[in-house]
Amino acid sequence: MNEDDNLVFLSLVKKAIRPLPTPILCHLAEQDSDPFKVLVACVLSLRTRDQVTAEASKRLFAISSDSFSMAQMQVKKIENAIFPVAFYRVKARQIKALSQKICKEFHGKIPDTIDALLSLPGVGRKTANLVITLAYKMPGICVDTHVHRICNRWGFVFTATPDGTEQALRGKLPRRWWIPLNGMLVPFGQNICTPISPRCSTCSLSHYCPKIGVVSRR
């Protein structure tokens, strides 16, 4: 894909997702972009359905919505609030540990750099980029499984891992698309350009898309 193709694809995706639900993390950040809440919601969302993430976040933030109070909370209480998110016991320990580290090393303020965020327990590049983009509105590229799959399927990048895709996109993707990219490709990947048998027959990009790696499609 060249620069013009890239702009065509992203513009078509932007139109295609208009009737689709907003990704839960984008929705939560639109309601409240407090960096601590965005960070914790990101941790809760990993391997968890959107509705479960939304409900767990609401329950947890009703009893604690800042790093200082979360750092003092018993792990069992966090577990009870966030159940049934995936790996809720592990996530409860991570949330308490990252809250304690934020209080101790960052004076209760959520870091605003990728490297500092990556030093927190349970925080990977996907979560770090989401905090940077959704909470701080700073340039970042959040690459999850959908962004990684679709950008390779388009032939925009040729990478083996999401981290590799992020680095490749930082060198090729126009900066104005960095922040909205994840919020566009997640619903597109969940509903149209699915992992198995993508809905190519109804996709507005199908005429342009090389469909790299697609074995079967609908």
Side-chain angles (χ1 to χ4, degrees):
M1 289 175 62
N2 59 36
E3 174 73 10
D4 291 338
D5 292 332
N6 173 49
L7 296 179
V8 169
F9 273 47
L10 293 176
S11 296
L12 289 173
V13 168
K14 190 173 182 179
K15 293 179 181 178
I17 64 170
R18 283 175 182 167
L20 301 176
T22 301
I24 187 59
L25 294 176
C26 294
H27 177 68
L28 292 175
E30 288 173 358
Q31 295 181 317
D32 189 344
S33 61
D34 174 78
F36 180 73
K37 292 182 179 179
V38 172
L39 171 60
V40 173
C42 287
V43 172
L44 294 176
S45 73
L46 300 175
R47 305 282 185 90
T48 300
R49 291 183 295 108
D50 281 2
Q51 187 61 33
V52 175
T53 297
E55 293 169 355
S57 298
K58 183 177 180 179
R59 290 193 300 270
L60 182 60
F61 296 147
I63 58 176
S64 176
S65 59
D66 64 82
S67 57
F68 293 107
S69 62
M70 194 74 76
Q72 299 299 318
M73 191 177 299
Q74 293 183 346
V75 171
K76 187 63 178 179
K77 190 171 183 179
I78 300 175
E79 289 180 2
N80 291 339
I82 67 176
F83 179 84
V85 301
F87 310 108
Y88 71 96
R89 290 191 176 91
V90 173
K91 290 178 180 178
R93 294 195 298 270
Q94 290 174 339
I95 290 169
K96 181 178 176 69
L98 68 82
S99 297
Q100 290 175 326
K101 185 164 185 174
I102 289 167
C103 292
K104 182 178 180 180
E105 299 185 15
F106 300 99
H107 309 290
K109 185 180 185 298
I110 310 307
D112 61 1
T113 68
I114 295 291
D115 288 343
L117 286 163
L118 289 175
S119 73
L120 301 176
V123 175
R125 293 199 67 87
K126 171 188 171 182
T127 296
N129 273 290
L130 280 172
V131 172
I132 291 296
T133 57
L134 296 182
Y136 288 114
K137 313 301 181 187
M138 295 168 60
I141 303 177
C142 176
V143 176
D144 65 358
T145 182
H146 297 293
V147 176
H148 173 62
R149 178 183 72 255
I150 293 169
C151 287
N152 275 275
R153 185 173 282 174
W154 288 348
F156 186 47
V157 299
F158 298 91
T159 54
T161 66
D163 285 356
T165 297
E166 180 195 339
Q167 297 308 315
L169 289 174
R170 283 179 178 272
K172 299 181 65 175
L173 187 67
R175 187 166 286 238
R176 65 184 177 277
W177 292 104
W178 284 22
I179 292 178
L181 184 69
N182 186 268
M184 291 167 53
L185 293 191
V186 167
F188 186 70
Q190 290 174 334
N191 296 277
I192 300 172
C193 197
T194 52
I196 301 173
S197 296
R199 301 177 184 276
C200 298
S201 62
T202 59
C203 179
S204 57
L205 283 70
S206 186
H207 177 72
Y208 309 94
C209 181
K211 305 176 182 62
I212 296 172
V214 174
V215 177
S216 63
R217 58 183 186 267
R218 289 172 280 178

